[in-house]
Amino acid sequence: MLQVARIQGGRKLQGTIHVAGSKNAALPILAATLLTTEKVVLHNVPDLSDVRFMVEILQHQGAEISQPKKGIWIIQARKIIHRTPYDLVRKMRASVCLLGALVGRLRQAEMAIPGGCVIGPRPIDLHLKGLEALGCIVSVENGLVTIDAQHSKGDTVFMGGPMGSTVTGTANIIMAATTTPGMTTIESAAQEPEVVDLCTFLIKMGAKISGQGTPTIKVEGVDSLHGCEHFIIPDRIEAGTYLVAGAITDGDVTVKGANANHLTAFLDKLREAGVQVETGADYIRAHGRPSRAVEIVTEPYPGFPTDLQAQFMALQLLVDGRSTITEKVYPSRFMHAAELQRMGAEISVDGPTAAVYGDRPLSGAPVMASDLRASAALILAALAAKGETWVQRLYHLDRGYEHFEERLRALGADIERLPAAAMPKGFAED
Ligand code: EPU
């Protein structure tokens, strides 16, 4: 059943919430559980539809999976198959992380190629080029990629592309290299905390990895990996989204369990915009509204994260003057701009740069979410708008935010989830 969010703007959000486990750390780590026949126990796994898609894929591959309680998954992949069909892959682009795990475990993989999506074309050429550098035989035919890694061996792999290094591409090469004979050196490796968490997990499984968190990662192949227990890192994007919710409503929100070191560029811009930010060992607090226009450039970590760009655009709507956003990771990730304009925003998009002319009156409207982060941005703008906003295509939100509307309600938001049929006549999509 299609669902929508109804938001009545104008309430200040105040209080404390606990950050969930990171989606983008959990997905490759779940894939990596296929690297061993032994039992793996994962804690702090977020309750998201993307996680459920990944669990479904792992079950298809042959893994036995149970969830003894919320946030904990036990996975054991005694015997697995190397084929992953399109009907599973098309549900979630991150299923591409399976390639490295299957190569590492079975020395072969056959997988439907995930398509692009609304945020950009999202090719996997760098993943495949990296596997070829390790001596894998890679062929692409009829929408399928087939990898034969029987004779692969460690080598130097370059993971940089026109948009910088690739996050899941780096994850794939690391996973494949864990059991590839010899030393693999990944240059221009992604430095994201989620890649570091994957390495922490793999090291617990017996992998020999060094340099994670820097542009050069070294992986020395081992014969096999074993089971382990791991606690997923906090979701920096979820944390950032709630901090924007506090600032956009001139409220006061503390995110407990968040790691401020993972959000340096974002917090720097929040402060530059005039929001009061306080950080401690395991919390981040944002209070007060923004007052200054700022320039944002999204970049691979440690730069400003593209996954917080849409939410920050919503925040910029409050500020008098001209703010800009330049997308260097996904140059066309601005679908939310047109929907924000329907709420009264003035935004002009020119190639990879959006200019936001803020301090225009925002009013509630029926809007359509185009992707995960866009859906969060529309809800954030709705919190600051006058009147009622209806956000459609809520399934995008559920891919990456655990119980978003419940958690916002706990901070004081007037938001509810309703069946699409509850929308005023003429608002709902067909
Ligand atoms: N790219 C290539 N060739 C490749 C791979 C990537 O040209 O082979 C380009 C992409 O088109 C893009 C850029 O490189 O322009 C970066 O893509 P990357 O591969 O790093 O993205 P990803 O690994 O597919 C992860 C996150 C995304 C996040 C990006 C960038 C996961 C599961 N997904 O995607 O998260 O936006 O890194 O940080 O980790 C989200 O959570 O909303 C989300 C989209």
Side-chain angles (χ1 to χ4, degrees), residues 69 97 99 109 154-155 168 187 201 269 289 337 359 387 390 407:
K69 76 189 237 226
C97 294
L99 278 181
D155 211 322
T168 49
E187 294 291 3
F201 171 71
K269 285 294 169 185
R289 50 179 282 145
D359 202 21
W390 295 81
R407 282 148 78 71

Side-chain angles (χ1 to χ4, degrees), residues 298-373:
T298 70
E299 280 171 316
Y301 192 84
F304 190 98
T306 173
D307 292 341
L308 280 169
Q309 177 260 108
Q311 301 89 316
F312 210 91
M313 181 184 277
L315 188 65
Q316 288 172 323
L317 299 177
L318 264 57
V319 181
D320 193 14
R322 181 180 185 270
S323 299
T324 59
I325 298 177
T326 300
E327 249 299 343
K328 286 205 174 165
V329 181
Y330 296 113
S332 55
R333 194 180 197 175
F334 289 122
M335 296 288 280
H336 42 282
E339 295 300 297
L340 292 170
Q341 277 165 336
R342 307 190 60 251
M343 300 174 73
E346 194 180 332
I347 302 165
S348 71
V349 177
D350 182 11
T353 300
V356 179
Y357 302 90
D359 202 21
R360 307 288 188 265
L362 294 177
S363 56
V367 290
M368 192 79 79
S370 54
D371 74 272
L372 166 57
R373 307 304 171 189

Side-chain angles (χ1 to χ4, degrees), residues 23-24 27 93-94 119 121-127 162-169 192 306-307 329-331 333 372-373:
K23 167 179 85 80
N24 290 345
L27 294 174
R93 231 203 86 86
I119 67 175
R122 310 192 77 179
I124 60 164
D125 57 313
L126 298 170
H127 302 230
M163 307 299 162
S165 46
T166 153
V167 178
T168 49
E192 270 68 4
T306 173
D307 292 341
V329 181
Y330 296 113
R333 194 180 197 175
L372 166 57
R373 307 304 171 189

